[in-house]
Amino acid sequence: MILSASRRTDIPNYYSDWFLNRLGEGFLYVRNPMNPRQVSEIVLSPETVDCIVFWTKNPEPMMNRLGELKNYPFCFQFTLTGYGADVERNVPDKLTVMAPIFRRLSERIGRERVVWRYDPILFTEKYSPEYHLELFGKLARALKGCTERCVISFVDTYVKNRKAMAALRIYEPGGQQLSAFAERLGRTAAENGMEMFSCCERMDLEHCGIKHGSCIDQTLIERVIGCGTQLRRDRNQRPGCGCMESIDIGRYDTCRNGCVYCYASHDPAGSTSGGRSYNPLSPILCGELTESDRVTPRQMQSVRKEQLSLF
């Protein structure tokens, strides 16, 4: 199986101790976000976990413990944008703090295993296309040689972020302007040795040098684990998503990054209620099992072509 850690929260930044404790114990529990009383038991043996995909805006709290992942293939989706604290409230300065952390992570694990995400892109009076192009260029030059892939997407509005999006007064450029903008991003990425991909975009950007991509990407995972796979498209993601199937182990409303565009938290300030119940020794993230919970072992099948037994 592919383990996603996590679309729902920043585990490397805030909950890496919990995650590494769970690897040591060999299992964890995860609640069904649609039915919280329904809990899945996930086995975390190296024979069961084919690859771990980490999602983060700051992996520094996890950096000194990367050696504990030696038995597991893994890669990082590292989000690094040009926004200030008005949009990403609890993320340190991008050029002076986060870009050097990105470089250190790349040096530790290899540039092929760190994907740069410059997403989501939103436009306001302050964060204009010209602003993005300037900051993207600075970041691309700072990350040159540290990654092979850059992923972009344009912001979507959800129930959880609708109010914050309205407060920012975001706007969408016209099609011709957006195409010219994307083309310049693609050219800058190529100049700095990166392939550029779009994430969950229905708009065709191939003419801009930007390929349709996916976050749980079969080609990347096969490169990381060193063999072919029998991955299938994840039908539970939003329309346009090209990701392969994975098991997400996070919990909504627990991320403290404070990103106003976030779809995974009701509180854009980052003072999430779910995170207050964090216990690094609990088998379940930010909570405890109760008598009313129904725990079911999750059946998992290896996706490696060389190993297709059922665990």
Side-chain angles (χ1 to χ4, degrees), residues 27-30 39-43 295-300:
F27 75 98
L28 60 80
Y29 299 133
V30 60
V39 177
S40 295
E41 179 181 8
I42 309 297
V43 176
V295 179
T296 305
R298 178 77 176 259
Q299 284 196 328
M300 294 163 291

Side-chain angles (χ1 to χ4, degrees), residues 55-122:
W55 311 66
T56 188
K57 285 187 168 69
N58 185 0
E60 187 174 38
M62 196 177 190
M63 295 276 277
N64 291 334
R65 301 187 66 183
L66 290 175
E68 297 176 45
L69 297 169
K70 63 182 182 298
N71 295 323
Y72 299 87
F74 64 93
C75 59
F76 276 80
Q77 298 274 338
F78 194 138
T79 298
L80 182 51
T81 68
Y83 301 117
D86 56 332
V87 175
E88 295 177 347
R89 294 188 172 120
N90 299 323
V91 183
D93 184 81
K94 310 307 172 55
L95 283 168
T96 63
V97 180
M98 296 316 306
I101 290 173
F102 192 111
R103 294 187 68 90
R104 293 206 305 273
L105 178 64
S106 175
E107 290 165 1
R108 287 281 305 275
I109 69 174
R111 65 181 184 178
E112 71 280 0
R113 291 202 283 167
V114 189
V115 176
W116 174 27
R117 301 184 64 88
Y118 190 88
D119 81 309
I121 298 171
L122 59 82

Side-chain angles (χ1 to χ4, degrees), residues 20-310:
L20 293 169
N21 287 340
R22 297 326 307 156
L23 285 188
E25 292 288 336
F27 75 98
L28 60 80
Y29 299 133
V30 60
R31 294 189 185 279
N32 182 336
M34 301 295 106
N35 183 1
R37 297 275 72 87
Q38 186 180 71
V39 177
S40 295
E41 179 181 8
I42 309 297
V43 176
L44 297 176
S45 70
E47 293 77 24
T48 304
V49 179
D50 296 305
C51 187
I52 305 169
V53 179
F54 292 107
W55 311 66
T56 188
K57 285 187 168 69
N58 185 0
E60 187 174 38
M62 196 177 190
M63 295 276 277
N64 291 334
R65 301 187 66 183
L66 290 175
E68 297 176 45
L69 297 169
K70 63 182 182 298
N71 295 323
Y72 299 87
F74 64 93
C75 59
F76 276 80
Q77 298 274 338
F78 194 138
T79 298
L80 182 51
T81 68
Y83 301 117
D86 56 332
V87 175
E88 295 177 347
R89 294 188 172 120
N90 299 323
V91 183
D93 184 81
K94 310 307 172 55
L95 283 168
T96 63
V97 180
M98 296 316 306
I101 290 173
F102 192 111
R103 294 187 68 90
R104 293 206 305 273
L105 178 64
S106 175
E107 290 165 1
R108 287 281 305 275
I109 69 174
R111 65 181 184 178
E112 71 280 0
R113 291 202 283 167
V114 189
V115 176
W116 174 27
R117 301 184 64 88
Y118 190 88
D119 81 309
I121 298 171
L122 59 82
F123 299 102
T124 68
E125 183 177 354
K126 175 181 178 180
Y127 297 109
S128 64
E130 292 74 22
Y131 176 97
H132 280 292
L133 290 168
E134 181 180 355
L135 264 293
F136 182 85
K138 289 180 179 179
L139 288 169
R141 290 186 289 275
L143 302 181
K144 186 174 183 178
C146 299
T147 183
E148 298 175 350
R149 290 179 171 230
C150 178
V151 175
I152 65 165
S153 71
F154 297 102
V155 73
D156 288 317
T157 300
Y158 302 89
V159 172
K160 287 186 177 182
N161 71 4
R162 186 173 297 147
K163 186 176 179 180
M165 292 292 95
L168 282 174
R169 301 179 68 179
I170 64 171
Y171 71 90
E172 183 174 335
Q176 198 168 25
Q177 185 183 11
L178 199 60
S179 179
F181 170 80
E183 187 173 359
R184 288 182 65 184
L185 287 183
R187 186 163 61 247
T188 300
E191 289 169 355
N192 288 279
M194 306 169 193
E195 277 192 291
M196 180 168 276
F197 297 87
S198 63
C199 172
C200 209
E201 288 296 331
R202 296 181 181 180
M203 180 170 44
D204 186 3
L205 298 173
E206 289 275 358
H207 65 286
C208 302
I210 302 172
K211 304 174 184 177
H212 282 291
S214 56
C215 308
I216 308 294
D217 182 81
Q218 184 169 10
T219 301
L220 177 60
I221 287 171
E222 290 179 346
R223 184 176 180 189
V224 170
I225 68 178
C227 71
T229 64
Q230 291 192 347
L231 284 165
R232 297 178 297 182
R233 184 71 60 86
D234 191 340
R235 298 178 180 176
N236 295 317
Q237 298 302 321
R238 54 186 170 153
C241 180
C243 283
M244 300 294 107
E245 286 184 341
S246 64
I247 296 175
D248 198 293
I249 60 169
R251 176 183 167 182
Y252 290 117
D253 292 308
T254 58
C255 187
R256 299 197 292 271
N257 284 329
C259 303
V260 298
Y261 52 73
C262 185
Y263 63 83
S265 176
H266 279 101
D267 184 1
S271 56
T272 54
S273 58
R276 296 173 196 155
S277 57
Y278 174 52
N279 175 3
L281 299 180
S282 173
I284 195 166
L285 181 60
C286 294
E288 304 289 343
L289 290 180
T290 68
E291 292 183 358
S292 61
D293 289 331
R294 186 173 73 255
V295 179
T296 305
R298 178 77 176 259
Q299 284 196 328
M300 294 163 291
Q301 189 174 19
S302 173
V303 297
R304 293 174 181 261
K305 286 186 176 179
E306 63 188 25
Q307 181 181 339
L308 297 176
S309 57
L310 186 67

